[in-house]
Amino acid sequence: MSRATSGVEALRVEDLRVYYPLRRTLEEVLRRQQRYLRAVDGVTLSIPEGATLALVGESGSGKTTVARAVVGLVKPTSGRILLWGRDVSSLRNRELREMRRAVQMVFQDPSVSLNPRMRVGDQVKYPLDVNGIGTPEERRAMALEALRTVGLTPPEEFYSRYPHQLSGGQRQRVAIARAIVLRPKLLIADEPISNIDVSARAQILELLRSLRERMGLSMLYITHDLSSAWAIADSVAVMYLGKLVEHGPVEEVFSDPRHPYTKALLQAVPSLDERKAGGEVVRLKGEIPDPLNMPSGCRLHPRCPFATERCRREEPPAVKVGENHWVYCHLFA
Ligand code: SF4
């Protein structure tokens, strides 16, 4: 599963925090208090060039916010985002535009991310128009080539269609064509198969895999679907309520998960057998807590069957449990 990489980091996220200020009550205004929703709270991860990292977790874990911060759609509260070693916050004008072009995103729902009133070809061509790349004829040729690359053939036919004339899988192919037309080096795929028919999911996953090989892409693959993470990624990072709980090589984490939350997630996937889910059955109690009211200490402690008094008080540190395999849990500290 693990593929050779150049040793260069395509993406490095350091201690990323994204806090959203909450609307204040009159009492809070008078006391000059401000509460925050801590959507992402100190996430550090990296993707070697040419590799794929799957960022997994339930909805509300903060994984999409990490992705949106990387592409500049969300402003980090603190922390650093480095692309090929360059801190994005230090880039200006042309350098920033070039870096932004090198990182493209495929969104979860193509029926939302595509404009229903624009022809498919014009939407794929749009990033070229905005960036002033080539002549109008060259831009059209590049858009046609992108449609061909994602398997929408003959591309001339798809070029003039509207999104509603396509299936969900075809729409997601258009969204992918639009993302690759600028020849990016890093692709962020945010739940790219969760809003399309089951029958098309394997094909879209295979398309992403083949694009990665053909274009030498690095990839951040966001998903709540562990089976697809297993199928596409070299490494995996698991998030819970804005924090990482475990990360490491995908085969190692899936065959020998350490964190109780990772174990519980894996055991909930019928297609991953018990051996891959780490043997011992972990049953979490209750539901995900209200993110506006984060638990103290380890955020999993109200649900974790192994929680101790220390878990209620102290945030668990990162503990190395294998080569590039880290877990955030007091059981290993
Ligand atoms: Fe459970 Fe404690 Fe580990 Fe958190 S730190 S996962 S509460 S054992």
Side-chain angles (χ1 to χ4, degrees):
M1 180 78 63
S2 189
R3 291 163 305 111
T5 60
S6 63
V8 174
E9 281 182 335
L11 170 67
R12 180 165 185 78
V13 170
E14 283 181 358
D15 200 19
L16 179 70
R17 288 165 206 270
V18 180
Y19 295 177
Y20 297 110
L22 298 172
R23 185 189 289 260
R24 294 194 290 176
T25 62
L26 179 60
E27 195 181 342
E28 285 169 337
V29 172
L30 294 173
R31 288 184 177 180
R32 298 190 179 174
Q33 283 178 342
Q34 177 66 64
R35 289 184 307 135
Y36 293 90
L37 170 65
R38 290 177 283 162
V40 176
D41 204 6
V43 166
T44 295
L45 50 83
S46 72
I47 306 179
E49 194 169 56
T52 298
L53 170 71
L55 189 55
V56 306
E58 296 165 283
S59 65
S61 60
K63 55 193 190 307
T64 290
T65 307
V66 172
R68 294 175 79 85
V70 170
V71 293
L73 293 174
V74 163
K75 193 173 183 317
T77 305
S78 64
R80 297 204 308 163
I81 295 170
L82 296 103
L83 294 164
W84 294 274
R86 303 285 307 275
D87 186 338
V88 177
S89 69
S90 71
L91 302 178
R92 297 283 177 273
N93 304 326
R94 190 172 60 85
E95 275 189 326
L96 182 61
R97 279 198 304 276
E98 282 176 6
M99 200 59 96
R100 291 284 176 227
R101 267 168 47 182
V103 183
Q104 294 295 316
M105 186 159 174
V106 176
F107 295 90
Q108 179 173 355
D109 188 349
S111 57
V112 173
S113 66
L114 297 178
N115 184 337
R117 287 183 291 278
M118 245 175 122
R119 290 184 192 277
V120 157
D122 291 333
Q123 303 204 46
V124 174
K125 188 165 67 68
Y126 187 70
L128 300 168
D129 296 335
V130 168
N131 284 279
I133 294 170
T135 63
E137 293 74 29
E138 287 168 340
R139 293 202 279 270
R140 179 180 161 83
M142 283 188 260
L144 285 167
E145 184 53 34
L147 288 171
R148 191 193 321 276
T149 303
V150 299
L152 293 174
T153 53
E156 294 78 7
E157 198 176 293
F158 282 94
Y159 195 100
S160 55
R161 290 195 195 167
Y162 287 92
H164 74 267
Q165 296 173 303
L166 307 179
S167 68
Q170 288 173 331
R171 280 199 288 271
Q172 195 56 300
R173 284 176 192 266
V174 173
I176 294 170
R178 187 179 56 185
I180 63 164
V181 76
L182 288 171
R183 310 286 306 173
K185 295 195 289 180
L186 172 64
L187 189 68
I188 317 276
D190 182 12
E191 301 270 15
I193 61 170
S194 63
N195 268 53
I196 56 178
D197 292 344
V198 175
S199 57
R201 288 182 188 172
Q203 292 162 13
I204 295 294
L205 210 53
E206 189 47 46
L207 172 63
L208 290 172
R209 273 212 295 226
S210 86
L211 288 176
R212 180 183 65 188
E213 304 305 328
R214 279 188 280 165
M215 298 177 68
L217 288 169
S218 312
M219 198 182 300
L220 175 60
Y221 180 80
I222 314 278
T223 187
H224 66 276
D225 172 9
L226 294 169
S227 306
S228 68
W230 167 256
I232 199 167
D234 303 291
S235 57
V236 62
V238 184
M239 281 189 80
Y240 181 74
L241 283 181
K243 285 189 173 288
L244 289 185
V245 298
E246 183 163 6
H247 56 93
V250 73
E251 293 203 15
E252 190 173 320
V253 172
F254 277 43
S255 63
D256 188 17
R258 302 300 186 90
H259 197 281
Y261 182 67
T262 313
K263 290 186 181 190
L265 273 188
L266 285 165
Q267 284 160 3
V269 183
S271 58
L272 295 169
D273 62 26
E274 201 165 287
R275 185 178 52 80
K276 284 180 187 145
E280 169 196 24
V281 174
V282 176
R283 291 193 207 291
L284 298 180
K285 296 175 268 183
E287 301 294 322
I288 298 185
D290 180 356
L292 300 181
N293 217 347
M294 289 289 189
S296 58
C298 171
R299 290 180 180 183
L300 191 67
H301 87 251
R303 307 178 67 196
C304 179
F306 311 109
T308 63
E309 191 46 43
R310 185 183 182 196
C311 304
R312 281 179 262 280
R313 279 196 326 265
E314 294 173 28
E315 281 196 18
V319 182
K320 189 171 184 181
V321 291
E323 184 69 24
N324 296 320
H325 186 176
W326 296 79
V327 64
Y328 298 73
C329 174
H330 289 307
L331 290 176
F332 302 91

